[in-house]
């Protein structure tokens, strides 16, 4: 009986030791899932969004050559900006044509689209870099850029092109175009 008692005590102590060591090895939830670390991004897209006054976009590129990284980042930013402008301009012209109740023939529609494309292409040359940061990491340059283009200059370019085109100038309603432009871009 004494040997059973000693054996039972030994088993209990052994189990207690095993259980205690397992519990002690437990990690807290904070150790398993540490708090997220905030990462600061230069020329952050959330800070450089289009607003009522400007179309804006950002670009990032990485390359071993600093100049190549810069050119790639600028190309990315301008391409993104160009897409945003083109989509907005297309929406503006579609609404303008629909609200103006003008039935454009194929020639007029083609000229209207030509003006729209010309304005988009023209304005890209006016892009201004508003943020530029470069990092060097793991043998590569990482270039961050933010660019902008004033919406006012796009409106003025449209107005000038419409008024200078004989066929479109006849059907161009400046007030209606201005109204649609402001509604779709937030400002003129």
């Amino acid at each position: 009986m004494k040997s059973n008692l000693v054996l039972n005590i030994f088993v209990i102590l052994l189990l207690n030791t095993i259980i205690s060591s397992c519990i002690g090895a437990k990690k807290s939830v904070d150790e398993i899932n540490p708090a997220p670390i905030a990462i600061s991004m230069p020329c952050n897209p959330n800070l450089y969004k289009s607003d009522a006054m400007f179309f804006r976009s950002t670009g990032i590129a990485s390359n071993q050559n600093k100049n190549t990284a810069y050119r790639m980042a600028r190309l990315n930013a301008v391409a993104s900006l160009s897409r945003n402008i083109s989509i907005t301009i297309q929406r503006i012209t579609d609404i303008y044509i629909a609200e103006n109740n003008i039935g454009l023939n194929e020639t007029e529609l083609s000229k209207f689209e030509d003006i729209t494309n010309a304005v988009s292409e023209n304005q890209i040359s006016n892009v201004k870099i508003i943020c530029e940061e470069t990092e060097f990491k793991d043998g590569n340059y990482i270039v961050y850029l933010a660019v902008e283009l004033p919406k006012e200059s796009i409106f003025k370019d449209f107005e000038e092109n419409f008024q200078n085109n004989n066929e479109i100038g006849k059907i161009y309603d400046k007030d209606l175009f201005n109204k649609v432009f402001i509604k779709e871009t937030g400002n003129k």
Side-chain angles (χ1 to χ4, degrees):
M1 176 127 170
K2 205 174 188 182
S3 68
N4 278 344
L5 183 61
V6 171
L7 184 62
N8 284 342
I9 291 174
F10 177 74
V11 170
I12 291 173
L13 288 174
L14 182 65
L15 286 174
N16 189 27
T17 304
I18 293 171
I19 291 171
S20 295
S21 67
C22 290
I23 292 173
K26 245 185 174 179
K27 292 188 176 194
S28 71
V29 174
D30 289 339
E31 290 174 324
I32 295 170
N33 297 322
I37 299 170
I39 298 174
S40 175
M41 181 177 177
C43 305
N44 190 326
N46 294 326
L47 301 175
Y48 293 97
K49 292 181 180 180
S50 295
D51 60 21
M53 302 298 289
F54 296 95
F55 284 106
R56 292 192 181 103
S57 188
T58 60
I60 303 169
S62 174
N63 195 286
Q64 292 175 344
N65 182 291
K66 185 178 179 181
N67 291 332
T68 302
Y70 174 83
R71 284 193 302 272
M72 289 169 52
R74 189 173 196 291
L75 183 64
N76 291 340
V78 170
S80 176
L81 183 69
S82 181
R83 279 190 303 277
N84 293 341
I85 291 170
S86 292
I87 290 168
T88 303
I89 288 174
Q90 187 61 52
R91 190 174 60 241
I92 290 168
T93 55
D94 288 347
I95 292 170
Y96 172 76
I97 289 170
E99 286 188 12
N100 204 8
N101 293 324
I102 51 176
L104 297 178
N105 63 39
E106 280 191 43
T107 305
E108 292 170 329
L109 187 57
S110 176
K111 288 193 185 276
F112 206 87
E113 289 173 357
D114 288 346
I115 289 172
T116 299
N117 292 335
V119 167
S120 296
E121 291 172 20
N122 237 9
Q123 288 300 315
I124 292 304
S125 64
N126 296 328
V127 168
K128 178 182 173 189
I129 296 172
I130 56 174
C131 178
E132 177 184 343
E133 300 237 1
T134 303
E135 295 177 352
F136 187 74
K137 183 178 180 182
D138 299 328
N140 282 320
Y141 290 94
I142 304 167
V143 177
Y144 303 86
L145 290 177
V147 296
E148 73 179 9
L149 183 65
K151 291 180 179 181
E152 178 72 22
S153 67
I154 293 173
F155 179 80
K156 287 180 180 178
D157 203 3
F158 260 117
E159 189 173 52
E160 186 179 303
N161 276 280
F162 286 153
Q163 290 174 347
N164 291 339
N165 184 295
N166 292 335
E167 289 183 47
I168 300 299
K170 295 176 199 171
I171 57 173
Y172 173 61
D173 180 342
K174 179 180 177 179
D175 293 333
L176 178 60
F177 189 80
N178 187 27
K179 179 181 138 196
V180 172
F181 190 90
I182 289 171
K183 180 181 173 192
E184 293 302 310
T185 63
N187 199 351
K188 169 177 103 153

